[in-house]
Structures are given as C-alpha cells and as structure tokens.
Amino acid sequence: MAEVSAFIRNMPKAELHVHLEGTLEGDLLLVIAERNNISLPFDDPDGIRRMQNETKTGLTNNLVNFLRCLDICREAMRTAQDYYDTAMAFVRKSAAENVVYLEVTFDVQQAIRQGVPLAECIEALSRVRREAKRDYDIEIRWIACFQRDHPVQNAMETLNLLDPHRDEIVGIGLDNFETPNFPALFAPVMAAARDRGYRLTSHCDVNQPESLAHIRDCVDLLGVERIDHGLNTAQDITLVKKIVSQRIALTGCPTFHVSMTSAPSDRVEMIRTLFDAGALISLNTDDPAQFGSGYLNRTLAACQAAAGFTDEDMIRFMRNTFESAWIDDRARSGYLERLDRFRDTSARAVS
Ligand code: ADE
Ligand code: ZN
C-alpha cells in the first residue's frame, strides 16, 4: 500500500465524486441495520468488503455485482437520522484528511423508496452542510442522483418533488448501471433539470459496453458539464480533443477494487493519458467504504505511486478539482489561492 506523504496529507483538498451511501462504513452500518431491524448477510464491520470481494468475478470491474452489494448496505438506511449519521461520519473523516470542499452525491429515489420522507432527508443533509461549515470549515454541496435502472418517469417525478428544496441541491447526476441508450432516454429529465438551473453530471463507468458512445452522448444529448469516471475517453483521440476543447470535467476514481491496495494499471494509464492531454480530470474516492481502498489521502497516494506523478502533478489534479467544482468565481479563486500558498510554502520548506 502506498505511503501517504506529508505533502498529500497537508494539501488542502476537495472531491466531487463520492456517494454518501458508499461512505457508510461497516461499524455504523451494523448500528443502523440493528435500529431499523434489518438483517444483513454478515455481522462484523469487515463484512461489506468480504461480500464485495467474494462476488467479484476476477479482476474485472463488475459493476452489477458491485451495485448489488452496495444495495444490501444502502437499503439499510431507512430514516433521516441514518442519512445524517452517515454524512457526519464522512465529514469527520474528511476533516481529518484536510479536505476543505466536498460535492457529495446521494440517491434521492432510493431514500424515498425506503420510506425516508424527502423533506426530512433534505433537512438532515442541510444540517450536515451547516455543521460541517461551522465545526470543520468544510463546504459541502449536495448532488441528487437519479438511477438509470429505474423508470425515467420516476426520475421526472422525483425532480418535481425536489422543487421546494432547489436551494439545497447544486446538481443532478445519473448513476447505477448503464442501461442501453441511457443518455437519449434521460434527455428530457436532464433538460428539465437544466431549465431549473441545476448543474449536470452523469456516470460513464470504466470499461462498460458502449463507453465511448455513452460519453459522447452525455456531452451532446444531455449537455453535461462533467462526466463521473469517463476514463475510456482516453481511447479515442477525437473524444479527448472534444472534452479538452469543451472543458468537460472528468471525475476520475483511480481505486475501485476491494482486494487491491494500489490503483489498477488500466485506470492509471487512462488517467495519465487524459492528464497529459490537458483534460480537466480530478481524482476522487467514489465509494470508499465499499472499496476499502481508503479515503482521499490514500486514493491520491495510490494514484501518485502507480503513475509516478510528481507532487506538482498532484497540485494540478487538485487545481482541476477546484476548476470543475460548482462554485462561484470568488470561492474558486479563494480555494486556488489557498492551494498556491500551500505549494509555495512546501517548495520553500524543501529548498
Ligand atoms: N453508485 C455508486 N457508485 C457507483 C458507480 N461507480 N457507478 C454507478 N453507480 C454508482
Ligand atoms: Zn460514482
């Protein structure tokens, strides 16, 4: 496992692609499951990772198996308190890692399906946002994600339900596994979200069927500003030029596999290609509790070690994160200046 350097540890950091439900660690999951009378297929905190490992087929990123295991964990969340507790645990971990800004995704349809009143859920998330700022000086923005394996109609209805909570949600995303032709299918929902002023992103997971077509269609048909993952872009030079010239941000996730202690090489190569081509690519954790690959510090360290990125490169990745964040120009300048000050101080310390 890559050592986390003082440089990585002390850098002011942010991430834009992390699922609230994917931060639910085994110890808290057991507490939540017990108070909701949910039985899990394991009774120890390590059970999540074991279950993920046992159902993996080889070294391939088997998204369907991964999501099935994630479902067993996230289906235990039945109350607004569960959302609050999970989010606060993640905030505390992030604070310990010198994270200053977070955009966190949550599966809003799942919360509703599981009986959490939407207003209570959003109020819990709002409280987390305020307490994170007050107690840890961490800025949080929430992204509501629609699930592609559920009917478009349900996504549209859920978008309407979010109207009274518009101010608490910065953007709309698409996640779960990629149904064929999902970009065209979800175009009306994303257009309606854009009309309401939401920022837009969509998952295009690594090495999925039709990855390149999906990435292209997310940009052209959905008009997204960011793609979550989107690493396969690296395999098509025309697409690379397109995302660079249109400044489409990619929220890369270098680690994903539970049994791995380093970033897998195909991901790292794609990240390297995109980084060298000048893409606005950032590094993120996605579902840290499920992967067992660590939170942001360990994720950055694993990617740096695997690709031989320099400390200066790591600063550029973090610049990309702040450049792709859904914040106003004043806040962006503030974060970038903070990052520059950190880099200058670190350079003086070693010279
Ligand atoms: N939900 C949580 N993690 C996800 C991922 N990597 N892809 C799609 N949906 C997800
Ligand atoms: Zn994700």
Side-chain angles (χ1 to χ4, degrees), residues 211-255:
S211 273
L212 292 172
H214 285 174
I215 294 166
R216 235 177 267 121
D217 286 352
C218 280
V219 176
D220 293 340
L221 301 180
L222 301 185
V224 298
E225 306 159 71
R226 298 203 307 235
I227 305 258
D228 292 316
H229 301 287
L231 298 185
N232 290 90
T233 300
Q235 296 164 335
D236 179 337
I237 184 64
T238 311
L239 195 52
V240 172
K241 286 184 182 154
K242 182 182 175 74
I243 66 110
V244 170
S245 67
Q246 293 185 221
R247 283 181 63 80
I248 303 296
L250 304 176
T251 62
C253 302
T255 52

mmCIF file of all heavy atoms in Angstrom, residues 211-255:
data_model
loop_
_atom_site.group_PDB
_atom_site.id
_atom_site.type_symbol
_atom_site.label_atom_id
_atom_site.label_comp_id
_atom_site.label_asym_id
_atom_site.label_seq_id
_atom_site.Cartn_x
_atom_site.Cartn_y
_atom_site.Cartn_z
ATOM 1 N N SER A 211 -19.003 2.393 -23.883
ATOM 2 C CA SER A 211 -18.485 3.508 -23.063
ATOM 3 C C SER A 211 -18.304 4.787 -23.882
ATOM 4 O O SER A 211 -18.731 5.867 -23.470
ATOM 5 C CB SER A 211 -17.133 3.135 -22.441
ATOM 6 O OG SER A 211 -17.318 2.472 -21.212
ATOM 7 N N LEU A 212 -17.656 4.646 -25.041
ATOM 8 C CA LEU A 212 -17.319 5.856 -25.810
ATOM 9 C C LEU A 212 -18.581 6.549 -26.333
ATOM 10 O O LEU A 212 -18.699 7.781 -26.262
ATOM 11 C CB LEU A 212 -16.373 5.519 -26.973
ATOM 12 C CG LEU A 212 -14.965 5.087 -26.531
ATOM 13 C CD1 LEU A 212 -14.150 4.591 -27.723
ATOM 14 C CD2 LEU A 212 -14.242 6.233 -25.841
ATOM 15 N N ALA A 213 -19.521 5.750 -26.831
ATOM 16 C CA ALA A 213 -20.775 6.339 -27.335
ATOM 17 C C ALA A 213 -21.527 7.019 -26.194
ATOM 18 O O ALA A 213 -22.105 8.106 -26.366
ATOM 19 C CB ALA A 213 -21.633 5.254 -27.977
ATOM 20 N N HIS A 214 -21.501 6.396 -25.016
ATOM 21 C CA HIS A 214 -22.222 6.992 -23.887
ATOM 22 C C HIS A 214 -21.591 8.325 -23.470
ATOM 23 O O HIS A 214 -22.302 9.284 -23.166
ATOM 24 C CB HIS A 214 -22.231 6.013 -22.704
ATOM 25 C CG HIS A 214 -23.190 4.870 -22.904
ATOM 26 N ND1 HIS A 214 -23.277 3.804 -22.040
ATOM 27 C CD2 HIS A 214 -24.111 4.631 -23.863
ATOM 28 C CE1 HIS A 214 -24.212 2.958 -22.462
ATOM 29 N NE2 HIS A 214 -24.717 3.435 -23.567
ATOM 30 N N ILE A 215 -20.273 8.360 -23.463
ATOM 31 C CA ILE A 215 -19.604 9.614 -23.077
ATOM 32 C C ILE A 215 -19.971 10.718 -24.077
ATOM 33 O O ILE A 215 -20.368 11.827 -23.689
ATOM 34 C CB ILE A 215 -18.067 9.412 -23.010
ATOM 35 C CG1 ILE A 215 -17.723 8.452 -21.865
ATOM 36 C CG2 ILE A 215 -17.343 10.748 -22.842
ATOM 37 C CD1 ILE A 215 -16.303 7.905 -21.891
ATOM 38 N N ARG A 216 -19.867 10.371 -25.364
ATOM 39 C CA ARG A 216 -20.203 11.343 -26.420
ATOM 40 C C ARG A 216 -21.649 11.835 -26.267
ATOM 41 O O ARG A 216 -21.922 13.027 -26.314
ATOM 42 C CB ARG A 216 -20.034 10.655 -27.787
ATOM 43 C CG ARG A 216 -19.109 11.407 -28.712
ATOM 44 C CD ARG A 216 -18.920 10.643 -30.023
ATOM 45 N NE ARG A 216 -17.751 9.767 -30.001
ATOM 46 C CZ ARG A 216 -17.758 8.455 -30.178
ATOM 47 N NH1 ARG A 216 -18.893 7.792 -30.366
ATOM 48 N NH2 ARG A 216 -16.632 7.773 -30.155
ATOM 49 N N ASP A 217 -22.559 10.890 -26.061
ATOM 50 C CA ASP A 217 -23.974 11.270 -25.983
ATOM 51 C C ASP A 217 -24.282 12.055 -24.702
ATOM 52 O O ASP A 217 -25.185 12.903 -24.698
ATOM 53 C CB ASP A 217 -24.872 10.012 -26.052
ATOM 54 C CG ASP A 217 -24.924 9.457 -27.469
ATOM 55 O OD1 ASP A 217 -24.400 10.128 -28.391
ATOM 56 O OD2 ASP A 217 -25.470 8.354 -27.657
ATOM 57 N N CYS A 218 -23.570 11.754 -23.627
ATOM 58 C CA CYS A 218 -23.790 12.542 -22.400
ATOM 59 C C CYS A 218 -23.448 14.012 -22.661
ATOM 60 O O CYS A 218 -24.121 14.916 -22.166
ATOM 61 C CB CYS A 218 -22.938 12.009 -21.248
ATOM 62 S SG CYS A 218 -23.674 10.555 -20.478
ATOM 63 N N VAL A 219 -22.383 14.229 -23.428
ATOM 64 C CA VAL A 219 -21.988 15.608 -23.739
ATOM 65 C C VAL A 219 -22.971 16.219 -24.741
ATOM 66 O O VAL A 219 -23.499 17.319 -24.527
ATOM 67 C CB VAL A 219 -20.546 15.634 -24.309
ATOM 68 C CG1 VAL A 219 -20.164 17.058 -24.733
ATOM 69 C CG2 VAL A 219 -19.554 15.097 -23.274
ATOM 70 N N ASP A 220 -23.247 15.486 -25.829
ATOM 71 C CA ASP A 220 -24.020 16.082 -26.935
ATOM 72 C C ASP A 220 -25.529 16.096 -26.684
ATOM 73 O O ASP A 220 -26.205 17.043 -27.058
ATOM 74 C CB ASP A 220 -23.740 15.328 -28.246
ATOM 75 C CG ASP A 220 -22.297 15.532 -28.707
ATOM 76 O OD1 ASP A 220 -21.672 16.517 -28.255
ATOM 77 O OD2 ASP A 220 -21.795 14.708 -29.495
ATOM 78 N N LEU A 221 -26.053 15.028 -26.085
ATOM 79 C CA LEU A 221 -27.515 14.956 -25.909
ATOM 80 C C LEU A 221 -27.967 15.470 -24.546
ATOM 81 O O LEU A 221 -29.039 16.050 -24.426
ATOM 82 C CB LEU A 221 -28.012 13.502 -26.060
ATOM 83 C CG LEU A 221 -27.728 12.809 -27.396
ATOM 84 C CD1 LEU A 221 -28.277 11.383 -27.386
ATOM 85 C CD2 LEU A 221 -28.358 13.599 -28.537
ATOM 86 N N LEU A 222 -27.160 15.219 -23.529
ATOM 87 C CA LEU A 222 -27.577 15.643 -22.186
ATOM 88 C C LEU A 222 -27.003 17.005 -21.801
ATOM 89 O O LEU A 222 -27.491 17.646 -20.886
ATOM 90 C CB LEU A 222 -27.135 14.609 -21.133
ATOM 91 C CG LEU A 222 -27.656 13.183 -21.295
ATOM 92 C CD1 LEU A 222 -27.226 12.314 -20.119
ATOM 93 C CD2 LEU A 222 -29.177 13.173 -21.420
ATOM 94 N N GLY A 223 -25.939 17.399 -22.471
ATOM 95 C CA GLY A 223 -25.328 18.687 -22.150
ATOM 96 C C GLY A 223 -24.687 18.725 -20.774
ATOM 97 O O GLY A 223 -24.689 19.756 -20.109
ATOM 98 N N VAL A 224 -24.131 17.580 -20.340
ATOM 99 C CA VAL A 224 -23.499 17.576 -19.005
ATOM 100 C C VAL A 224 -22.205 18.393 -19.025
ATOM 101 O O VAL A 224 -21.545 18.502 -20.048
ATOM 102 C CB VAL A 224 -23.171 16.141 -18.518
ATOM 103 C CG1 VAL A 224 -24.431 15.304 -18.386
ATOM 104 C CG2 VAL A 224 -22.162 15.458 -19.436
ATOM 105 N N GLU A 225 -21.872 18.946 -17.864
ATOM 106 C CA GLU A 225 -20.612 19.689 -17.732
ATOM 107 C C GLU A 225 -19.514 18.781 -17.195
ATOM 108 O O GLU A 225 -18.337 19.105 -17.267
ATOM 109 C CB GLU A 225 -20.774 20.836 -16.745
ATOM 110 C CG GLU A 225 -21.908 21.758 -17.058
ATOM 111 C CD GLU A 225 -22.318 22.527 -15.813
ATOM 112 O OE1 GLU A 225 -21.550 23.396 -15.384
ATOM 113 O OE2 GLU A 225 -23.396 22.226 -15.266
ATOM 114 N N ARG A 226 -19.950 17.692 -16.574
ATOM 115 C CA ARG A 226 -18.963 16.748 -16.031
ATOM 116 C C ARG A 226 -19.411 15.336 -16.353
ATOM 117 O O ARG A 226 -20.601 15.073 -16.528
ATOM 118 C CB ARG A 226 -18.876 16.862 -14.493
ATOM 119 C CG ARG A 226 -18.422 18.200 -14.007
ATOM 120 C CD ARG A 226 -17.811 18.159 -12.597
ATOM 121 N NE ARG A 226 -18.584 17.553 -11.542
ATOM 122 C CZ ARG A 226 -18.895 18.154 -10.396
ATOM 123 N NH1 ARG A 226 -18.509 19.397 -10.162
ATOM 124 N NH2 ARG A 226 -19.571 17.519 -9.469
ATOM 125 N N ILE A 227 -18.420 14.443 -16.420
ATOM 126 C CA ILE A 227 -18.712 13.011 -16.504
ATOM 127 C C ILE A 227 -18.060 12.379 -15.272
ATOM 128 O O ILE A 227 -16.890 12.631 -14.988
ATOM 129 C CB ILE A 227 -18.082 12.374 -17.764
ATOM 130 C CG1 ILE A 227 -18.531 13.117 -19.027
ATOM 131 C CG2 ILE A 227 -18.351 10.883 -17.818
ATOM 132 C CD1 ILE A 227 -19.587 12.481 -19.845
ATOM 133 N N ASP A 228 -18.828 11.554 -14.565
ATOM 134 C CA ASP A 228 -18.253 10.805 -13.443
ATOM 135 C C ASP A 228 -17.574 9.555 -14.013
ATOM 136 O O ASP A 228 -18.215 8.759 -14.699
ATOM 137 C CB ASP A 228 -19.347 10.471 -12.438
ATOM 138 C CG ASP A 228 -19.864 11.736 -11.758
ATOM 139 O OD1 ASP A 228 -19.015 12.574 -11.370
ATOM 140 O OD2 ASP A 228 -21.083 11.913 -11.651
ATOM 141 N N HIS A 229 -16.308 9.418 -13.755
ATOM 142 C CA HIS A 229 -15.403 8.437 -14.384
ATOM 143 C C HIS A 229 -15.071 8.949 -15.805
ATOM 144 O O HIS A 229 -14.303 9.868 -15.945
ATOM 145 C CB HIS A 229 -15.968 7.017 -14.427
ATOM 146 C CG HIS A 229 -16.301 6.453 -13.084
ATOM 147 N ND1 HIS A 229 -15.343 6.061 -12.193
ATOM 148 C CD2 HIS A 229 -17.497 6.230 -12.477
ATOM 149 C CE1 HIS A 229 -15.938 5.613 -11.085
ATOM 150 N NE2 HIS A 229 -17.228 5.707 -11.241
ATOM 151 N N GLY A 230 -15.624 8.315 -16.827
ATOM 152 C CA GLY A 230 -15.376 8.785 -18.204
ATOM 153 C C GLY A 230 -13.970 8.506 -18.709
ATOM 154 O O GLY A 230 -13.530 9.073 -19.703
ATOM 155 N N LEU A 231 -13.251 7.582 -18.025
ATOM 156 C CA LEU A 231 -11.836 7.394 -18.356
ATOM 157 C C LEU A 231 -11.624 6.818 -19.755
ATOM 158 O O LEU A 231 -10.576 7.040 -20.367
ATOM 159 C CB LEU A 231 -11.153 6.484 -17.322
ATOM 160 C CG LEU A 231 -11.133 7.003 -15.881
ATOM 161 C CD1 LEU A 231 -10.321 6.054 -14.999
ATOM 162 C CD2 LEU A 231 -10.569 8.408 -15.799
ATOM 163 N N ASN A 232 -12.616 6.077 -20.270
ATOM 164 C CA ASN A 232 -12.433 5.484 -21.599
ATOM 165 C C ASN A 232 -12.273 6.529 -22.698
ATOM 166 O O ASN A 232 -11.805 6.207 -23.794
ATOM 167 C CB ASN A 232 -13.577 4.517 -21.926
ATOM 168 C CG ASN A 232 -13.497 3.274 -21.072
ATOM 169 O OD1 ASN A 232 -14.071 3.231 -19.981
ATOM 170 N ND2 ASN A 232 -12.753 2.286 -21.535
ATOM 171 N N THR A 233 -12.603 7.763 -22.398
ATOM 172 C CA THR A 233 -12.307 8.866 -23.323
ATOM 173 C C THR A 233 -10.887 8.745 -23.869
ATOM 174 O O THR A 233 -10.636 9.025 -25.048
ATOM 175 C CB THR A 233 -12.444 10.220 -22.566
ATOM 176 O OG1 THR A 233 -13.766 10.327 -22.074
ATOM 177 C CG2 THR A 233 -12.131 11.394 -23.477
ATOM 178 N N ALA A 234 -9.976 8.298 -23.009
ATOM 179 C CA ALA A 234 -8.549 8.218 -23.386
ATOM 180 C C ALA A 234 -8.316 7.332 -24.611
ATOM 181 O O ALA A 234 -7.287 7.449 -25.271
ATOM 182 C CB ALA A 234 -7.742 7.691 -22.201
ATOM 183 N N GLN A 235 -9.284 6.465 -24.926
ATOM 184 C CA GLN A 235 -9.086 5.517 -26.040
ATOM 185 C C GLN A 235 -9.474 6.097 -27.395
ATOM 186 O O GLN A 235 -9.382 5.416 -28.401
ATOM 187 C CB GLN A 235 -9.909 4.245 -25.769
ATOM 188 C CG GLN A 235 -9.419 3.509 -24.535
ATOM 189 C CD GLN A 235 -10.422 2.494 -24.007
ATOM 190 O OE1 GLN A 235 -11.627 2.620 -24.236
ATOM 191 N NE2 GLN A 235 -9.924 1.496 -23.299
ATOM 192 N N ASP A 236 -9.927 7.323 -27.416
ATOM 193 C CA ASP A 236 -10.376 7.913 -28.680
ATOM 194 C C ASP A 236 -9.877 9.361 -28.744
ATOM 195 O O ASP A 236 -10.386 10.233 -28.044
ATOM 196 C CB ASP A 236 -11.915 7.863 -28.728
ATOM 197 C CG ASP A 236 -12.474 8.482 -30.000
ATOM 198 O OD1 ASP A 236 -11.787 9.310 -30.640
ATOM 199 O OD2 ASP A 236 -13.623 8.153 -30.339
ATOM 200 N N ILE A 237 -8.896 9.585 -29.605
ATOM 201 C CA ILE A 237 -8.225 10.890 -29.641
ATOM 202 C C ILE A 237 -9.201 12.012 -30.002
ATOM 203 O O ILE A 237 -9.098 13.131 -29.490
ATOM 204 C CB ILE A 237 -6.989 10.863 -30.583
ATOM 205 C CG1 ILE A 237 -6.228 12.196 -30.555
ATOM 206 C CG2 ILE A 237 -7.339 10.472 -31.990
ATOM 207 C CD1 ILE A 237 -5.632 12.533 -29.219
ATOM 208 N N THR A 238 -10.183 11.691 -30.860
ATOM 209 C CA THR A 238 -11.172 12.723 -31.230
ATOM 210 C C THR A 238 -11.995 13.127 -30.008
ATOM 211 O O THR A 238 -12.285 14.313 -29.787
ATOM 212 C CB THR A 238 -12.118 12.178 -32.330
ATOM 213 O OG1 THR A 238 -11.311 11.609 -33.346
ATOM 214 C CG2 THR A 238 -12.976 13.269 -32.912
ATOM 215 N N LEU A 239 -12.348 12.123 -29.210
ATOM 216 C CA LEU A 239 -13.131 12.405 -27.999
ATOM 217 C C LEU A 239 -12.278 13.167 -26.971
ATOM 218 O O LEU A 239 -12.767 14.066 -26.283
ATOM 219 C CB LEU A 239 -13.662 11.089 -27.416
ATOM 220 C CG LEU A 239 -14.765 11.183 -26.370
ATOM 221 C CD1 LEU A 239 -15.940 12.032 -26.842
ATOM 222 C CD2 LEU A 239 -15.251 9.785 -25.978
ATOM 223 N N VAL A 240 -10.998 12.813 -26.903
ATOM 224 C CA VAL A 240 -10.103 13.538 -25.985
ATOM 225 C C VAL A 240 -10.100 15.018 -26.367
ATOM 226 O O VAL A 240 -10.276 15.904 -25.521
ATOM 227 C CB VAL A 240 -8.660 12.971 -26.033
ATOM 228 C CG1 VAL A 240 -7.710 13.864 -25.229
ATOM 229 C CG2 VAL A 240 -8.614 11.547 -25.497
ATOM 230 N N LYS A 241 -9.940 15.284 -27.685
ATOM 231 C CA LYS A 241 -9.888 16.692 -28.143
ATOM 232 C C LYS A 241 -11.197 17.416 -27.825
ATOM 233 O O LYS A 241 -11.204 18.570 -27.441
ATOM 234 C CB LYS A 241 -9.619 16.736 -29.650
ATOM 235 C CG LYS A 241 -8.174 16.401 -29.981
ATOM 236 C CD LYS A 241 -7.913 16.547 -31.460
ATOM 237 C CE LYS A 241 -6.467 16.166 -31.782
ATOM 238 N NZ LYS A 241 -6.305 15.702 -33.149
ATOM 239 N N LYS A 242 -12.284 16.670 -27.975
ATOM 240 C CA LYS A 242 -13.609 17.273 -27.711
ATOM 241 C C LYS A 242 -13.754 17.662 -26.229
ATOM 242 O O LYS A 242 -14.147 18.783 -25.910
ATOM 243 C CB LYS A 242 -14.689 16.261 -28.101
ATOM 244 C CG LYS A 242 -16.125 16.708 -27.944
ATOM 245 C CD LYS A 242 -17.020 15.525 -28.331
ATOM 246 C CE LYS A 242 -18.482 15.804 -28.106
ATOM 247 N NZ LYS A 242 -19.044 16.703 -29.101
ATOM 248 N N ILE A 243 -13.405 16.723 -25.337
ATOM 249 C CA ILE A 243 -13.627 17.051 -23.914
ATOM 250 C C ILE A 243 -12.615 18.115 -23.431
ATOM 251 O O ILE A 243 -12.922 18.896 -22.541
ATOM 252 C CB ILE A 243 -13.655 15.796 -22.984
ATOM 253 C CG1 ILE A 243 -12.319 15.114 -22.917
ATOM 254 C CG2 ILE A 243 -14.753 14.824 -23.326
ATOM 255 C CD1 ILE A 243 -11.718 15.316 -21.576
ATOM 256 N N VAL A 244 -11.442 18.137 -24.076
ATOM 257 C CA VAL A 244 -10.480 19.182 -23.699
ATOM 258 C C VAL A 244 -10.981 20.535 -24.200
ATOM 259 O O VAL A 244 -11.030 21.514 -23.443
ATOM 260 C CB VAL A 244 -9.064 18.871 -24.258
ATOM 261 C CG1 VAL A 244 -8.123 20.069 -24.066
ATOM 262 C CG2 VAL A 244 -8.484 17.634 -23.577
ATOM 263 N N SER A 245 -11.401 20.601 -25.467
ATOM 264 C CA SER A 245 -11.790 21.913 -26.012
ATOM 265 C C SER A 245 -13.091 22.407 -25.378
ATOM 266 O O SER A 245 -13.272 23.597 -25.190
ATOM 267 C CB SER A 245 -11.894 21.860 -27.535
ATOM 268 O OG SER A 245 -12.973 21.024 -27.891
ATOM 269 N N GLN A 246 -13.995 21.504 -25.021
ATOM 270 C CA GLN A 246 -15.256 21.933 -24.401
ATOM 271 C C GLN A 246 -15.141 22.039 -22.880
ATOM 272 O O GLN A 246 -16.110 22.362 -22.203
ATOM 273 C CB GLN A 246 -16.399 20.961 -24.770
ATOM 274 C CG GLN A 246 -16.749 21.015 -26.245
ATOM 275 C CD GLN A 246 -17.968 20.156 -26.605
ATOM 276 O OE1 GLN A 246 -17.976 19.493 -27.639
ATOM 277 N NE2 GLN A 246 -18.996 20.160 -25.771
ATOM 278 N N ARG A 247 -13.947 21.772 -22.387
ATOM 279 C CA ARG A 247 -13.697 21.798 -20.925
ATOM 280 C C ARG A 247 -14.728 20.983 -20.142
ATOM 281 O O ARG A 247 -15.276 21.413 -19.119
ATOM 282 C CB ARG A 247 -13.620 23.245 -20.404
ATOM 283 C CG ARG A 247 -12.287 23.888 -20.750
ATOM 284 C CD ARG A 247 -12.134 25.301 -20.254
ATOM 285 N NE ARG A 247 -12.169 25.474 -18.800
ATOM 286 C CZ ARG A 247 -11.153 25.247 -17.983
ATOM 287 N NH1 ARG A 247 -10.016 24.793 -18.452
ATOM 288 N NH2 ARG A 247 -11.273 25.476 -16.700
ATOM 289 N N ILE A 248 -15.018 19.772 -20.648
ATOM 290 C CA ILE A 248 -15.857 18.838 -19.907
ATOM 291 C C ILE A 248 -14.969 18.215 -18.824
ATOM 292 O O ILE A 248 -13.897 17.674 -19.119
ATOM 293 C CB ILE A 248 -16.396 17.721 -20.832
ATOM 294 C CG1 ILE A 248 -17.175 18.311 -22.017
ATOM 295 C CG2 ILE A 248 -17.229 16.718 -20.033
ATOM 296 C CD1 ILE A 248 -18.424 19.062 -21.662
ATOM 297 N N ALA A 249 -15.417 18.297 -17.583
ATOM 298 C CA ALA A 249 -14.603 17.760 -16.486
ATOM 299 C C ALA A 249 -14.851 16.261 -16.322
ATOM 300 O O ALA A 249 -15.971 15.788 -16.495
ATOM 301 C CB ALA A 249 -14.946 18.499 -15.197
ATOM 302 N N LEU A 250 -13.800 15.530 -15.988
ATOM 303 C CA LEU A 250 -13.921 14.098 -15.689
ATOM 304 C C LEU A 250 -13.568 13.902 -14.218
ATOM 305 O O LEU A 250 -12.507 14.355 -13.771
ATOM 306 C CB LEU A 250 -12.952 13.281 -16.551
ATOM 307 C CG LEU A 250 -13.074 13.453 -18.071
ATOM 308 C CD1 LEU A 250 -11.991 12.646 -18.784
ATOM 309 C CD2 LEU A 250 -14.452 13.022 -18.557
ATOM 310 N N THR A 251 -14.455 13.243 -13.486
ATOM 311 C CA THR A 251 -14.146 12.965 -12.076
ATOM 312 C C THR A 251 -13.644 11.520 -11.989
ATOM 313 O O THR A 251 -14.426 10.594 -11.779
ATOM 314 C CB THR A 251 -15.379 13.188 -11.175
ATOM 315 O OG1 THR A 251 -16.408 12.284 -11.569
ATOM 316 C CG2 THR A 251 -15.891 14.611 -11.262
ATOM 317 N N GLY A 252 -12.372 11.352 -12.179
ATOM 318 C CA GLY A 252 -11.773 10.011 -12.184
ATOM 319 C C GLY A 252 -11.699 9.419 -10.787
ATOM 320 O O GLY A 252 -11.632 10.140 -9.787
ATOM 321 N N CYS A 253 -11.729 8.092 -10.737
ATOM 322 C CA CYS A 253 -11.610 7.380 -9.461
ATOM 323 C C CYS A 253 -10.553 6.293 -9.660
ATOM 324 O O CYS A 253 -10.856 5.247 -10.250
ATOM 325 C CB CYS A 253 -12.940 6.772 -9.056
ATOM 326 S SG CYS A 253 -14.252 8.002 -8.918
ATOM 327 N N PRO A 254 -9.344 6.524 -9.211
ATOM 328 C CA PRO A 254 -8.251 5.591 -9.518
ATOM 329 C C PRO A 254 -8.366 4.240 -8.824
ATOM 330 O O PRO A 254 -7.878 3.243 -9.342
ATOM 331 C CB PRO A 254 -6.995 6.332 -9.063
ATOM 332 C CG PRO A 254 -7.455 7.448 -8.208
ATOM 333 C CD PRO A 254 -8.880 7.742 -8.543
ATOM 334 N N THR A 255 -8.998 4.193 -7.651
ATOM 335 C CA THR A 255 -9.094 2.910 -6.943
ATOM 336 C C THR A 255 -10.538 2.448 -6.953
ATOM 337 O O THR A 255 -11.458 3.252 -6.867
ATOM 338 C CB THR A 255 -8.642 3.073 -5.479
ATOM 339 O OG1 THR A 255 -9.361 4.157 -4.910
ATOM 340 C CG2 THR A 255 -7.171 3.333 -5.363
#
